[in-house]
């Protein structure tokens, strides 16, 4: 490879590693990609940025052969190729490192890497050959691994390296990383970037998908911006100076909205009072370990934590979905023994983590979804009978008030985009004047407009005295919206943070248990 | 959108009928029978007043059976135990009614309640096993079927539940006329449409109402749509499972009654014991919707009744069994295809409508 010469020569003489021309992809309900044009220079880190829902994931699936484009051409190293399956893409030297790791916990690193393409002598796996090959690849790319460690014992950063190795092992020279930093805490991000630089040095091309602008600027040699399914621009941060504000404007077409809750609206009335709450897993482990906190009227309490540290279980315990010990008081009334339905009837709204699985009946019309969770109260029912008429009227209200984009309330929930589904859920859970809203990731995976709208609704409800428990993986959201932040680690609160002074980096560090934040 | 959904839902059953007729025709050609002769004979007999009455009567039975299965299906519970539930219900009802000499309305009310309670109790065993022990209802209900049949044989042959009714046949004591619901001969002067036919129409309406207009029905459908979302919304899965299984069993308990009260007057060992399985097929055909089930039951009954004519045409009557099987097969398959396309096309329509809105705005 002659890539060692000057940049100028490289760009002219060598075909791009990946070139996409006029890619179109339509899905029911959305045009995911329209007229995508993209050129990735060999041996660079090329970032593709765009908002959630801008079409990045679809584009990557096309590039990895998981989906076929409706129109357009894909050129790999100058050759036009048709991918019908990921196998074709792998053949062409493309590898995908998924956002969610696909590893078998009870296998060793080595076993995971060779899984599916084991070197063999007849029916026997040739472990020696596998080990040699893996060690060679690891050495070449500056990756340090212990091939015999059990994956179950490894942390997130290590798992990601295994995913990368898996891809290299299959001969990939072009690596697609789909939001690789989403699961990492700040110092792990730095490690990942070191790895990426090593990979680049070894001659690989990296396509890095993200919507985190600072990270992109830190690592990328080239940046392509996608907005509403189409490529709106390409910048070379090594040549032209760009700021994250410039990129943000390109991404959203306007200034980024920031979550913010002005003023102090906290009142004296304690709405939720939790004492010594614990949730024990079937295996006897305390997933939530003796936590206590309270939320007052007009207060938003945020819980920060890496996913899987007990957030989901706290929510489920508060809603009475899982068994727990300790006392939960709602407006001074002990509700620890009440059923989920009773708790909802008292005035607790709940926006669960997984909207499609936990908050929607996808194959039911919107107005029936409006009843879900509130089927025992007006306007949805009277006594034992449903009142579809008033439920439908109220669904119209939610659609209007929360700007749910839909042609009508008789369409199935599955026909709406994620953002509009979420707006319907938020609208529903804020109906009937709840006193407490328990919200998990209320704006995850939805577009900027919907995100801003949901923040607005939360703000107004807070001013009106709503108490909110907020869980979010988006630290900006958490810091911007919360009056108080509690850091959760392994089922315990390990620190309090003051949202008006704490930075996302400090919070991220605290979430790993590495540092302390000031109260 | 509602109308469109309704129309597309007709595609699958129509396809099922067309395919089954085509395949049957091919089989008839293969065995050198006259295609047009067979079909026209079936049609001719099937539309005669006597056959129409028989079809209505049989369809009444099938409808109840399918309804019992359908309410379970609505929340992904598979009650295969309708057979056991209805034979026990019918024996109990027969034994009680045989010993009653009360005014007709009172006697009938008691008989119906007994059948429902016994059916529900038998299904309740499966519900209890599922809720408290995690036993799949598929396994438990099918086992309970065998147990039920054994219990009945024992009760009729060995205990005082059974007596010698006629011609060396043991069965429950013959129900006096005051306890029967024979119905009226309004189609064919010589054959009566079961009185239970009208009761069944009422039950069908009630089923629709409960499912679509009550909180319970909503909870049931929500659980069927998404068990996880239902749980988060405050629906208690175990309670729903128990109640639904009991209702399913209560409906199943009624399955034997149209025939018992309209014709047989005694449950003897010749009483049919496999209407429960027919119910499963018809519930699938009718997509758990009472109107769909009604059509499915009528179609099934038509094929059953007119199959008697096939022998006269020199064709084995099992041809209709093949037709019935094919219909279910094709319909279930095409439902799934139609359903997927429906979701897709709805998403497309929504997208188009929104684009149009955006343009005009």
């Amino acid at each position: 490879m002659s890539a060692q010469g000057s940049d100028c020569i490289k760009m002219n003489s060598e075909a791009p590693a990946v070139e996409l021309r006029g890619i179109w992809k339509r899905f029911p309900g959305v045009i995911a990609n329209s007229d995508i044009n993209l050129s990735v220079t060999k041996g660079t880190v090329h970032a593709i940025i765009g908002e959630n829902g801008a079409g990045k994931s679809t584009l990557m699936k096309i590039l990895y052969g998981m989906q076929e484009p409706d129109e357009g051409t894909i050129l790999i190293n100058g050759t036009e190729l048709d991918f019908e399956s990921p196998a074709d893409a792998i053949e062409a030297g493309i590898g995908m490192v998924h956002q969610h790791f696909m590893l078998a916990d009870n296998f060793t690193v080595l076993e995971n890497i060779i899984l599916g393409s084991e070197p063999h002598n007849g029916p026997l796996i040739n472990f020696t050959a596998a080990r040699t090959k893996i060690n060679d690849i690891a050495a070449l790319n500056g990756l340090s691994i212990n091939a015999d460690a059990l994956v179950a014992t490894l942390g997130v950063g290590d798992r990601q390296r295994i995913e990368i190795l898996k891809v290299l092992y299959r001969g990939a020279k072009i690596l697609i990383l789909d939001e690789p930093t989403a699961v990492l805490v700040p110092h792990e991000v730095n490690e990942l970037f070191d790895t990426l630089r090593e990979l680049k040095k070894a001659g690989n091309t990296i396509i890095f998908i993200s919507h985190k602008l600072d990270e992109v600027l830190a690592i990328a040699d080239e940046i392509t911006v996608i907005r509403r399914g189409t490529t709106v621009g390409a910048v070379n941060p090594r040549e032209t100076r760009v700021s994250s504000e410039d990129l943000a404007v390109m991404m959203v077409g306007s200034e980024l909205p920031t979550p913010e809750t002005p003023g102090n609206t906290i009142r004296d009335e304690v709405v939720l009072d939790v004492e010594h709450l614990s949730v024990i897993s079937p295996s006897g482990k305390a997933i939530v370990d003796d936590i206590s906190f309270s939320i007052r009227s007009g207060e938003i309490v945020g819980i920060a934590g890496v996913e899987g540290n007990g957030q989901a279980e706290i929510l489920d315990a508060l809603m009475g979905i899982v068994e727990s010990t300790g006392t939960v008081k709602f407006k001074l009334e002990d509700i620890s023994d009440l059923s989920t339905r009773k708790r909802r009837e008292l005035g607790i709204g709940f926006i669960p983590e997984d909207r499609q699985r936990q908050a929607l009946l996808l194959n039911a019309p919107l107005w029936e979804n409006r009843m879900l969770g509130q089927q025992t109260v007006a306007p949805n029912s009277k006594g034992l009978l449903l009142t579809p008429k008033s439920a439908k009227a109220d669904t119209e209200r939610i659609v209007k008030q929360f700007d749910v984009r839909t042609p009508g309330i008789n369409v199935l929930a599955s026909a709406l985009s994620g953002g509009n589904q979420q707006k319907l859920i938020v609208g529903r859970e804020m109906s009937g004047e709840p006193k407490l809203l328990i919200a998990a990731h209320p704006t995850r995976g939805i577009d900027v407009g919907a995100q801003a709208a949901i923040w607005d609704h939360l703000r107004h409800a807070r001013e009106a005295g709503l108490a909110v428990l907020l869980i979010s993986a988006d630290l900006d959201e958490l810091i911007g919206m919360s009056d108080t932040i509690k850091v959760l680690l392994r089922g315990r609160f390990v620190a309090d943070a003051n949202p008006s002074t704490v930075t996302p980096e400090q919070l991220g560090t605290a979430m790993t248990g590495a540092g302390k934040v000031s109260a | 959108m509602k109308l469109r959904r309704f129309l597309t839902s007709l595609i699958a059953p129509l396809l099922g009928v067309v395919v089954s007729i085509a395949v049957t025709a091919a089989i008839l050609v293969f065995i050198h029978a006259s295609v047009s002769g067979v079909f026209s004979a079936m049609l001719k007999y099937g539309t005669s007043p006597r056959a129409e009455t028989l079809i209505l009567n049989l369809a009444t039975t099938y409808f109840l059976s399918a309804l019992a299965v359908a309410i379970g299906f609505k929340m992904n519970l598979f009650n295969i135990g309708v057979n056991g539930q209805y034979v026990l219900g019918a024996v109990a009802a027969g034994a009680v009614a045989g010993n009653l000499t009360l005014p007709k309305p009172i006697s009938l009310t008691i008989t119906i309640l007994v059948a429902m309670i016994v059916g529900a109790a038998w299904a309740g065993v499966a519900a209890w096993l599922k809720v408290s022990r995690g036993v799949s209802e598929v396994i438990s209900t099918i086992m309970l079927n065998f147990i039920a049949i054994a219990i009945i044989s024992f009760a009729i042959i060995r205990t005082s539940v059974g007596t010698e009714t006629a011609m060396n046949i043991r069965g429950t004591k013959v129900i006096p006329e005051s306890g029967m619901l024979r119905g009226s001969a309004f189609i064919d002067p010589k054959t009566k449409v079961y009185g239970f036919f009208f009761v069944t129409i009422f039950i069908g309406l009630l089923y629709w109402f409960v499912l679509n207009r009550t909180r319970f029905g909503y909870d049931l459908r929500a659980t069927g749509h998404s068990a996880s979302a239902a749980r988060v919304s405050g629906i208690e899965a175990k309670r729903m499972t128990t109640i639904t299984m009991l209702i399913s069993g209560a409906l199943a308990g009624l399955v034997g009654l149209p025939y018992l009260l309209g014709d047989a007057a005694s449950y003897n060992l010749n009483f049919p014991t496999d209407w429960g399985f027919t119910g499963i097929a018809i519930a699938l055909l009718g997509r758990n919707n009472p109107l769909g089930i009604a059509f499915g039951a009528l179609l099934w009954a038509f094929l059953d009744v007119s199959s008697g004519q096939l022998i006269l045409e020199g064709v084995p009557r099992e041809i209709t069994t093949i037709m019935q099987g094919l219909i279910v097969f094709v319909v279930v398959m095409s439902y799934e295809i139609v359903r997927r396309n429906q979701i897709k096309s709805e998403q497309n329509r929504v997208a188009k409508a929104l684009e149009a809105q955006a343009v005009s705005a």
Side-chain angles (χ1 to χ4, degrees), chain B residues 244-264:
Chain B
T244 308
M245 212 54 195
L246 290 177
I247 295 179
S248 175
L251 281 170
L254 295 173
V255 170
L257 294 194
Y259 176 56
L260 182 74
L261 300 181
D263 192 358

Side-chain angles (χ1 to χ4, degrees), chain B residues 130-338:
Chain B
K130 184 175 174 78
V131 168
S132 69
R133 289 271 168 267
V135 178
S136 160
E137 77 281 4
V138 176
I139 308 292
S140 60
T141 52
I142 210 164
M143 290 306 175
L144 285 166
N145 280 344
F146 292 110
I147 299 172
I149 302 279
I151 290 177
I152 285 163
S153 306
F154 177 79
I156 289 179
I157 296 167
R158 294 292 169 88
T159 73
S160 58
V161 168
T163 58
E164 188 90 2
T165 49
M167 293 174 288
N168 273 343
I169 293 175
R170 277 184 78 86
T172 58
K173 203 167 151 190
V174 175
I175 301 171
E177 255 342 278
S178 67
M180 294 288 283
L181 191 59
R182 289 202 183 270
S184 64
F186 64 89
I187 299 176
D188 180 55
K190 288 192 201 113
T191 341
K192 283 183 172 171
V193 173
Y194 293 157
F196 225 85
F197 173 73
F198 303 99
V199 178
T200 302
I201 290 177
F202 171 74
I203 292 173
L205 291 172
L206 194 67
Y207 171 92
W208 178 86
F209 183 82
V210 168
L211 236 61
N212 292 290
R213 285 287 180 272
T214 67
R215 261 169 46 183
F216 169 76
Y218 180 85
D219 286 356
L220 182 108
R221 286 182 292 125
T223 312
H225 272 300
S226 164
S228 49
R231 195 170 68 132
V232 169
S233 87
I235 298 168
E236 285 171 55
K238 288 186 173 179
R239 193 167 155 266
M240 284 307 294
T241 302
T242 310
I243 297 178
T244 308
M245 212 54 195
L246 290 177
I247 295 179
S248 175
L251 281 170
L254 295 173
V255 170
L257 294 194
Y259 176 56
L260 182 74
L261 300 181
D263 192 358
S266 158
Y267 185 102
N268 60 41
L269 295 179
N270 292 330
F271 206 92
T273 57
D274 57 359
W275 284 330
F277 288 120
T278 312
I280 296 172
I282 293 170
L284 286 172
L285 266 185
R287 235 178 162 185
N288 307 326
N289 171 302
L291 204 60
I293 290 174
F295 279 112
L298 286 169
L299 177 65
W300 209 270
F302 165 79
L303 290 170
D304 275 353
V305 168
S306 60
S307 72
Q309 287 301 296
L310 292 176
I311 303 165
L312 301 178
E313 292 289 318
V315 172
R317 65 184 300 170
E318 280 70 24
I319 286 282
T320 55
T321 313
I322 295 177
M323 284 185 83
Q324 290 169 335
L326 277 170
I327 291 174
V328 174
F329 191 67
V330 175
V331 166
V332 170
M333 247 171 24
S334 33
Y335 268 150
E336 186 53 27
I337 297 167
V338 168

Side-chain angles (χ1 to χ4, degrees), chain A residues 121-432:
Chain A
N121 298 327
L124 300 176
I125 297 177
N126 187 344
F127 281 107
T128 329
R131 189 181 303 274
T132 319
K133 188 171 170 191
I134 289 170
N135 286 335
D136 288 351
I137 293 171
L140 181 68
N141 294 286
L143 290 161
S144 65
I145 52 139
N146 172 4
D148 297 315
L150 204 61
V151 165
T153 64
L154 299 180
V156 180
D158 286 329
R159 285 168 190 245
Q160 194 165 49
R161 272 195 289 282
I162 301 171
E163 286 284 353
I164 293 173
L165 262 171
K166 244 167 85 177
V167 166
L168 294 171
Y169 181 83
R170 282 157 182 75
K173 299 296 282 176
I174 301 166
L175 279 74
I176 306 171
L177 282 81
D178 186 8
E179 307 245 356
T181 60
V183 289
L184 302 179
V185 291
H187 78 261
E188 287 173 329
V189 170
N190 291 333
E191 285 176 23
L192 171 71
F193 286 176
D194 290 339
T195 306
L196 295 187
R197 289 192 193 95
E198 290 291 334
L199 288 171
K200 191 169 76 171
K201 227 184 270 169
N204 297 295
T205 307
I206 290 151
I207 299 178
F208 180 92
I209 303 165
S210 182
H211 60 254
K212 295 183 180 163
L213 305 178
D214 300 336
E215 293 174 359
V216 166
L217 284 172
I219 186 76
D221 304 308
E222 301 170 341
I223 301 173
T224 299
V225 185
I226 296 185
R227 183 166 84 220
R228 289 193 191 153
T230 192
T231 37
V232 292
V235 282
N236 189 331
R238 301 277 176 265
E239 285 170 9
T240 30
R241 268 184 57 85
V242 280
S243 67
S244 48
E245 283 72 26
D246 300 333
L247 289 177
V249 172
M250 286 175 79
M251 257 167 67
V252 300
S254 64
E255 293 292 335
L256 272 178
T258 45
E260 223 173 45
T261 45
N264 187 338
T265 58
I266 304 176
R267 302 163 197 198
D268 290 336
E269 188 199 357
V270 174
V271 176
L272 181 74
D273 189 26
V274 177
E275 274 167 40
H276 305 297
L277 183 75
S278 293
V279 177
I280 311 294
S281 76
S283 60
K285 194 181 155 219
I287 305 171
V288 176
D289 195 0
D290 191 26
I291 62 166
S292 303
F293 66 99
S294 62
I295 308 178
R296 283 170 291 171
S297 177
E299 183 182 25
I300 299 182
V301 172
I303 296 184
V306 178
E307 279 190 67
N309 273 285
Q311 296 92 324
E313 287 75 12
I314 293 178
L315 299 191
D316 286 351
L318 293 179
M319 290 310 295
I321 296 167
V322 296
E323 294 228 348
S324 60
T325 57
T327 46
V328 179
K329 281 188 192 158
F330 178 67
K331 295 199 292 179
L332 305 177
E333 186 192 341
D334 189 341
I335 60 165
S336 314
D337 294 326
L338 295 188
S339 66
T340 307
R341 176 161 287 172
K342 286 267 158 49
R343 293 182 199 212
R344 280 180 171 278
E345 284 169 355
L346 286 175
I348 303 180
F350 182 36
I351 301 171
E353 212 172 345
D354 184 338
R355 63 174 160 265
Q356 301 212 330
R357 279 189 63 250
Q358 300 180 303
L360 289 173
L361 308 175
L362 286 172
N363 290 324
L366 298 190
W367 65 271
E368 285 197 345
N369 274 284
R370 190 260 167 269
M371 295 178 165
L372 191 68
Q374 297 170 15
Q375 58 263 53
T376 55
V377 294
N380 303 318
S381 68
K382 200 174 171 188
L384 291 174
L385 298 187
L386 299 177
T387 50
K389 221 181 200 171
S390 56
K392 282 178 188 174
D394 197 61
T395 313
E396 298 277 12
R397 173 191 65 81
I398 293 177
V399 165
K400 206 168 281 166
Q401 200 176 330
F402 286 79
D403 191 29
V404 181
R405 306 277 167 80
T406 171
I409 57 166
N410 279 317
V411 303
L412 305 181
S414 57
L416 297 191
S417 71
N420 285 310
Q421 288 176 346
Q422 186 73 353
K423 282 190 276 189
L424 181 77
I425 295 168
V426 173
R428 174 181 76 199
E429 297 303 330
M430 289 173 80
S431 298

Side-chain angles (χ1 to χ4, degrees), chain A residues 427-497:
Chain A
R428 174 181 76 199
E429 297 303 330
M430 289 173 80
S431 298
E433 297 183 357
K435 302 291 174 300
L436 170 68
L437 180 69
I438 298 178
H441 312 286
T443 63
R444 174 149 78 184
I446 66 178
D447 57 88
V448 178
Q451 193 176 36
I454 287 174
W455 284 336
D456 263 343
H457 286 292
L458 282 178
R459 248 171 244 140
H460 290 139
R462 167 176 170 269
E463 276 160 31
L466 180 73
V468 180
L469 179 65
L470 176 68
I471 288 184
S472 177
D474 180 344
L475 297 184
D476 289 324
E477 174 175 76
L478 210 53
I479 293 170
M481 295 297 293
S482 305
D483 295 299
T484 317
I485 295 180
K486 302 201 168 279
V487 181
L488 186 72
L489 181 69
R490 284 178 224 112
R492 286 171 163 274
F493 286 141
V494 292
D496 283 343

